[in-house]
Amino acid sequence: LANQNIVLNAHIETILDENFLPDDLRVDIMSESGELLHPYLSDDPIPYRDLALHALYNYSTQALLLQDTKITVGGVHMFAKADLVYGDNKAKGAVKLWVDELEHAKIPPLWPKILHGDNSEKWVIKKLSDGVIKDAWIGFDLALKRGFPHYVLREGEDLEPLLSADISALEAEFSFEEMKIDYRAPLEAITEAYGSGRFDLDKDELSVELTKGKLGDIGVKSAKLFLDRLVEKDVGDADINVSLNGGVADLMRFLSVEPINLSDDIDMDIDKVKGNAEIDVALKFPARKGVEMAQFKIGVAGTLNDLLLPDVIEKMDLGGKSLALSVKDGLVSLKGDATLESRPMDFAWETFLSSKGKPYKEKLTAKVTADPNIRAALGIDLSDFIEGSMPVDVSYTLYSNGTAKADIEVDVTNARFFAEPFGFEKKVGKQGKAEFTAHLKGGALKKITGLTASGAGFDISKSEIYFKGEGENLRLDRGVFNDFTLGETKADLKFSYDDAGSVKIDVDAEFLDAQSFVDSDDKDKGEYAAPPLVISVLAKKMRTSPDAVIKDAKLLFDIDGQGSFNQMEMDAKIGAGKLFARFKPDSAGKRTFRLRADDAGAFLKAFNVYPNIRGGSLVIYGEPMRGVYDRNLRGKAEITNFRVVHAPALAKLLSIISITGLGEVLAGDGLSFDKLESDFSWLSRKSGSLLVLKDGRTSGSSLGLLFEGTFDNQKREIDVSGTIVPMSGLNKVIGAIPIIGDILTGGSGGVFAATYSLKGSTDDPEIFVNPLSIITPGILRRILWE
C-alpha cells in the first residue's frame, strides 16, 4: 500500500487462552481510498477505493484466514479470500480473487505487468473484446516471505517491500456474454458469444466453451477453444472446434479466405448460392505469426441442405437435398445425391487445401444421365452418333501442374447409336457401353486415350484422338481407331488434319461394309458440311450391296469442301474379273473418267446400277463438258458379250407385245447380247445426279433395242423411250437386202419392231407400247411415230 495520505481504520480483537496467552487474533481494516504498488502489477501506483480486509490469525496453528475482503480498482469490484499458514518466516496457502461482473473494456488497464507481451495478453486482451465477463475468479497458491521488519529509510532511498510474494498453481474460471473472439484473422471473428472459460497457469492452458454466438451471418451453436502455452511467447498452439448453422453462401465466404482459401477453387457468384449448412469446423494451428499453410490442421464435417450452386458446370446449376461436406487431413470433399439442371446425379468432389506433395489437386466423380440438353450445355455435340439419353460415369482429376484427366464410362443401351458412313445402327434397348480418358491442360482438351466400346454389333479396341487449339479454336488434330468392328466392318482407321483443315483418312480393313457410301447419291443430303477429305482404303473384302462383295479393293478419294470429287481411283476384283476406275486429271489437266470391268454384270450388280446382267466386259469413258475443271461429264459406255436375266421391265415389255418365247428365255438362261453402247451425259447435282442417255442400242441374235432418255437420281425416276426389235438376227438379213431392206426397215430398226417408253419410278416404271408399230412398215413408222 503506497500513499502517505492513506487512512486505515483498523479494529483488532484477540482471544486469550486459559494461560492468558493470545490464541486467535482478529483484524478488520477499512480504507476509503489509496494506491497499490508492486513491480509485478505496474510501474506506477494503482489507485483503489473501498478497501475492506477481515483477517483471523490462530497462534497455535499459525494459520491466517482472510475473509470478506474486497477492493475496487479501475471501477472493478474485486473480492478475495485466503487461507495461509505461517512458518519459517513464510506464509503459504491458497488465495482466491473474484469479480461478479466485469466489462472486457476494463481489463486492459488492470492487466499485470508481469504478463505483458505474452500469449495470454494476446488472447485475453486482443483476441477477446466487447462483452461482459461474469463470475470470474482467480485462484493460486501464495508464498509470502518476511523481509527486514526494522529498516530505517534513509533520505533519497526507495521504499522496499517488507514481504516478497511467490505465486503458483494459478487457475481461473469465467463466463461471458456478448463477447467477440477474434481467434485467427482474417477468418471471420465469433461475435455475440456466450459461454465460459478456464485458465491453468501451471499447464499454461486456456479453454473456452461457447453455448451460442455468430460467425458473420452464420449461427454458432457451440464452440470449444483450447489454447496451450499462452505465457510462453510464440510457441503455443490453438485448437478450435465450432458447430455452425447458417446459409451456404455465408459459409462459402467464411471458407474462401486464408488459410482455407476455397475461393481459389470456386468460380461462381456466391451471392446466388442458396441452401443451409450444418457443419462442425475444427482448426488446429500454431498461435504465432508467420505460420505456413502446411502447419494448419483443418477439419470440417456436416451437411449442406436444399443446396443450389449456380453455373457449376458450363452454366448449369448443381443442387442437392442433402450433401455431406468434409475437410480432413487437408482434403475438402462434398458428396451425396445431387442434381444437375434438375437431373439426378450421384456426386462427389474433393480438393486439397495444399496440393504440394499430394497425388492430385482436385477430383470430381459423378454419375448422371446425359440427355441431349445436358450434352448441348456441355458443348458435346454427339448428334451424328447418338440419339437419346444415357448414363455417364465421370471421374475428373486435376493436378498441381495444371494438367487434368477425366475417366469416362458411358452406357448406351437405352440410346440409339449409329455410324452413318458405315451404315451401322444399334437400336434402343440393345446393349452397349464405351469408356475413355480425356486429357486436359489449362482447361483445354488435348487428347482422348483408351477409347474402347462394345455392344450389339460393334466393338472398338483402345483408340486415341488428339486435339489442338483451345476454347472456340479447339479442333481435331489426329486419331487412331485400332481393330474396330461396326456390323460387318472390321478395320483399322487413322485420320489427321492439316493446318488448312483438310482431313486425311486411311482405312485398312479385313472387311468393309461400304453400302452407305455406294448409296450416298440416292437421296438429298443437303449442304455438304464436312471438310475437304483425302480417303485411302485397303479392303480384303468390301460389301457394296446386300448380296455383293468385292475383293482386294484399293480406293482413293479426294473430295473438296463442297463435297465434289477432285480425284477417285479404284482397283478391285469383282466377279470373274478385275475392276479399274480412275477419275483424275490427265496429262493436260483435264479431269477424265475411265472405268473397265472384266465382269460387267458383277460390277453393275455390286454397285447397285443394274442387277440383271450376267458376264460381259464394260468400258466407260467420260470427259468434262465445259473446261478442264467441269465435273459434268460427257462420254460413251459399252458392254460386250453379256446376258440379261429376270429383267422385270423388259419381261413386261415382251409380254405386252406378245413375244412369249423371248420371255421364257429371259426367265431362264437369259437373253444374249453382243453389245450395248450409248452416249451419255452425267450431270452432278447436290440433290442427286442426272444421267442422260442418247443413241443407245443393243445387238443380239434374239432382240435388239434402241433407247434414249434420263435417269433422275434426285426424284428416283426414269424417262426412257426407244424401239424394240425382236428376232434382230432375221431383221438384219432383211435390212441388208439392197433397196428393199431400206424400204422395209427405214434404214434402222426392223420389220418386226415396236416403239416403247418407260416412265415413273425407277423401281416400277409404267411401260407404254405402240401396237400399231408392230405391223407398220419401218419407213412409215419412222415418218409417223419416230
Side-chain angles (χ1 to χ4, degrees):
L1 301 177
N3 194 319
Q4 294 179 358
N5 298 319
I6 290 177
V7 177
L8 297 178
N9 297 317
H11 172 78
I12 301 175
E13 178 181 296
T14 184
I15 299 176
L16 303 179
D17 63 12
E18 58 186 12
N19 297 316
F20 295 97
L21 295 175
D23 187 11
D24 291 327
L25 178 64
R26 181 178 181 85
V27 179
D28 298 307
I29 300 176
M30 309 292 291
S31 174
E32 291 184 1
S33 62
E35 292 178 336
L36 301 175
L37 179 63
H38 194 283
Y40 284 1
L41 299 178
S42 173
D43 291 335
D44 301 317
I46 301 173
Y48 73 87
R49 61 184 179 83
D50 298 330
L51 170 65
L53 186 150
H54 304 281
L56 180 64
Y57 179 75
N58 184 279
Y59 280 92
S60 61
T61 61
Q62 294 187 310
L64 176 63
L65 184 63
L66 193 66
Q67 296 176 324
D68 299 329
T69 298
K70 62 180 182 179
I71 189 172
T72 300
V73 178
V76 179
H77 304 296
M78 293 181 285
F79 305 87
K81 66 178 181 178
D83 191 354
L84 306 176
V85 177
Y86 181 77
D88 298 329
N89 292 325
K90 292 182 180 179
K92 298 173 58 178
V95 177
K96 183 176 181 179
L97 308 175
W98 71 91
V99 295
D100 292 331
E101 186 171 293
L102 171 61
E103 295 180 10
H104 185 274
K106 294 181 178 180
I107 297 178
L110 302 177
W111 193 253
K113 175 185 174 183
I114 192 174
L115 298 179
H116 284 182
D118 64 20
N119 275 347
S120 64
E121 181 184 37
K122 180 177 71 174
W123 280 95
V124 176
I125 302 300
K126 298 180 180 179
K127 292 188 176 295
L128 300 182
S129 60
D130 302 338
V132 176
I133 295 176
K134 292 188 173 183
D135 302 323
W137 62 263
I138 298 175
F140 53 87
D141 290 340
L142 177 66
L144 295 173
K145 186 177 181 181
R146 186 186 296 277
F148 300 94
H150 305 294
Y151 183 82
V152 178
L153 185 65
R154 296 187 178 91
E155 185 177 355
E157 290 185 345
D158 292 330
L159 177 66
E160 295 292 338
L162 296 178
L163 298 175
S164 62
D166 292 324
I167 295 176
S168 62
L170 188 146
E171 296 179 345
E173 288 187 0
F174 56 93
S175 62
F176 51 86
E177 297 176 356
E178 297 290 337
M179 185 70 72
K180 179 180 179 181
I181 306 174
D182 190 4
Y183 53 93
R184 210 288 182 183
L187 288 173
E188 194 85 43
I190 297 175
T191 60
E192 301 177 26
Y194 288 73
S196 60
R198 179 178 177 81
F199 173 67
D200 189 319
L201 180 61
D202 286 351
K203 294 181 179 180
D204 202 3
E205 294 175 350
L206 172 65
S207 61
V208 178
E209 186 167 342
L210 277 69
T211 55
K212 69 174 183 177
K214 295 187 70 175
L215 190 64
D217 292 326
I218 306 173
V220 178
K221 296 193 297 183
S222 64
K224 292 182 180 180
L225 290 76
F226 180 80
L227 312 166
D228 67 354
R229 291 181 288 182
L230 284 174
V231 178
E232 190 176 357
K233 190 174 181 180
D234 289 336
V235 293
D237 293 318
D239 193 347
I240 302 172
N241 294 273
V242 185
S243 293
L244 304 174
N245 186 348
V248 175
D250 297 319
L251 174 65
M252 292 178 69
R253 294 187 187 95
F254 169 70
L255 297 177
S256 294
V257 299
E258 187 270 339
I260 301 178
N261 287 331
L262 279 187
S263 57
D264 295 342
D265 301 293
I266 297 174
D267 185 18
M268 70 179 69
D269 187 350
I270 294 180
D271 291 334
K272 295 181 180 179
V273 172
K274 297 180 181 179
N276 184 71
E278 295 183 8
I279 64 170
D280 296 327
V281 179
L283 295 174
K284 189 170 184 179
F285 54 89
R288 55 181 179 270
K289 296 180 180 179
V291 179
E292 296 181 358
M293 184 64 214
Q295 295 174 277
F296 276 82
K297 294 183 179 181
I298 302 171
V300 177
T303 57
L304 307 181
N305 303 311
D306 301 321
L307 178 67
L308 176 65
L309 300 178
D311 304 336
V312 171
I313 304 175
E314 297 296 337
K315 303 301 181 183
M316 291 187 292
D317 297 343
L318 174 70
K321 191 67 177 177
S322 180
L323 295 176
L325 174 66
S326 172
V327 180
K328 185 177 181 181
D329 297 329
L331 182 65
V332 182
S333 67
L334 181 65
K335 60 184 178 180
D337 294 330
T339 60
L340 185 65
E341 286 295 281
S342 301
R343 280 81 166 177
M345 177 177 65
D346 187 0
F347 165 83
W349 170 82
E350 58 187 31
T351 183
F352 284 100
L353 297 176
S354 175
S355 58
K356 184 177 181 181
K358 302 298 183 182
Y360 56 86
K361 180 180 180 181
E362 181 179 344
K363 179 178 285 187
L364 168 70
T365 58
K367 294 182 179 181
V368 65
T369 298
D371 58 33
N373 292 332
I374 291 287
R375 296 197 295 271
L378 291 172
I380 302 174
D381 184 6
L382 300 178
S383 58
D384 291 335
F385 310 99
I386 293 287
E387 285 182 359
S389 302
M390 65 198 107
V392 178
D393 289 8
V394 180
S395 178
Y396 171 85
T397 306
L398 174 65
Y399 300 95
S400 299
N401 61 2
T403 63
K405 72 171 185 175
D407 296 315
I408 299 175
E409 296 183 9
V410 183
D411 185 346
V412 296
T413 299
N414 293 321
R416 175 176 173 258
F417 170 60
F418 54 94
E420 286 188 352
F422 295 95
F424 173 79
E425 177 185 15
K426 183 206 76 68
K427 295 184 178 180
V428 175
K430 298 292 185 180
Q431 183 269 337
K433 63 179 181 179
E435 61 181 64
F436 59 89
T437 299
H439 301 262
L440 306 95
K441 186 170 185 179
L445 180 62
K446 295 300 181 183
K447 63 180 179 179
I448 290 175
T449 62
L451 173 60
T452 62
S454 62
F458 67 95
D459 186 84
I460 300 175
S461 297
K462 292 184 177 179
S463 303
E464 297 182 349
I465 303 174
Y466 294 82
F467 301 83
K468 55 186 175 182
E470 55 186 54
E472 295 181 355
N473 297 319
L474 180 70
R475 60 187 186 276
L476 286 168
D477 182 27
R478 65 189 190 279
V480 177
F481 291 86
N482 295 309
D483 192 23
F484 72 91
T485 299
L486 289 175
E488 286 188 294
T489 297
K490 298 180 184 296
D492 296 333
L493 184 148
K494 298 179 181 179
F495 71 89
S496 61
Y497 284 73
D498 62 20
D499 292 337
S502 297
V503 187
K504 185 177 185 297
I505 301 175
D506 294 310
V507 179
D508 189 351
E510 185 74 22
F511 193 103
L512 178 63
D513 186 350
Q515 295 181 81
S516 61
F517 298 96
V518 175
D519 296 336
S520 62
D521 195 37
D522 288 349
K523 57 185 178 180
D524 185 1
K525 292 183 177 294
E527 293 292 328
Y528 183 76
L533 299 171
V534 176
I535 305 174
S536 176
V537 178
L538 293 175
K540 291 183 179 180
K541 295 182 179 181
M542 185 170 78
R543 182 175 299 284
T544 55
S545 67
D547 53 356
V549 174
I550 66 177
K551 299 179 180 180
D552 298 333
K554 297 180 181 179
L555 302 95
L556 175 66
F557 303 99
D558 184 349
I559 305 171
D560 67 13
Q562 284 73 47
S564 301
F565 282 96
N566 294 321
Q567 183 174 341
M568 184 276 291
E569 299 183 24
M570 180 185 300
D571 293 285
K573 295 178 182 179
I574 301 181
K578 295 182 179 180
L579 170 68
F580 170 89
R582 297 289 187 273
F583 176 65
K584 65 178 184 177
D586 61 12
S587 58
K590 183 169 61 175
R591 190 180 286 110
T592 62
F593 178 78
R594 300 173 185 273
L595 184 145
R596 185 180 69 248
D598 296 338
D599 190 334
F603 166 75
L604 295 173
K605 179 180 180 181
F607 286 89
N608 294 326
V609 179
Y610 190 71
N612 300 315
I613 289 180
R614 299 293 181 267
S617 297
L618 170 65
V619 176
I620 301 176
Y621 173 79
E623 60 183 34
M625 291 183 181
R626 302 177 296 274
V628 296
Y629 299 111
D630 187 11
R631 289 179 172 80
N632 299 307
L633 300 177
R634 179 187 294 114
K636 195 175 190 68
E638 179 183 281
I639 308 177
T640 58
N641 301 320
F642 65 95
R643 291 179 297 113
V644 178
V645 298
H646 306 294
L650 182 56
K652 187 175 182 180
L653 179 60
L654 293 175
S655 174
I656 291 174
I657 61 178
S658 301
I659 306 179
T660 57
L662 291 183
E664 293 173 356
V665 174
L666 183 65
D669 294 334
L671 294 175
S672 297
F673 291 89
D674 297 327
K675 180 184 291 188
L676 180 152
E677 62 181 358
S678 177
D679 296 331
F680 71 86
S681 297
W682 184 79
L683 304 179
S684 174
R685 302 183 303 182
K686 291 181 179 180
S687 56
S689 62
L690 178 67
L691 178 63
V692 180
L693 301 177
K694 188 175 182 181
D695 293 332
R697 69 197 64 211
T698 68
S699 62
S701 60
S702 301
L703 188 70
L705 291 169
L706 302 178
F707 57 88
E708 63 182 17
T710 61
F711 289 83
D712 190 333
N713 276 319
Q714 176 183 354
K715 298 179 180 179
R716 300 293 293 167
E717 292 180 354
I718 184 174
D719 186 359
V720 173
S721 61
T723 303
I724 181 169
V725 185
M727 301 176 65
S728 58
L730 176 62
N731 284 325
K732 277 188 177 181
V733 174
I734 298 174
I737 299 175
I739 301 176
I740 296 175
D742 288 339
I743 294 173
L744 293 177
T745 65
S748 64
V751 174
F752 303 103
T755 58
Y756 68 90
S757 64
L758 289 82
K759 293 184 178 182
S761 168
T762 54
D763 296 326
D764 187 20
E766 294 186 30
I767 300 176
F768 302 93
V769 176
N770 187 342
L772 296 178
S773 64
I774 298 176
I775 58 175
T776 302
I779 190 168
L780 296 178
R781 183 187 68 249
R782 187 169 187 180
I783 292 173
L784 297 177
W785 292 288
E786 292 187 358

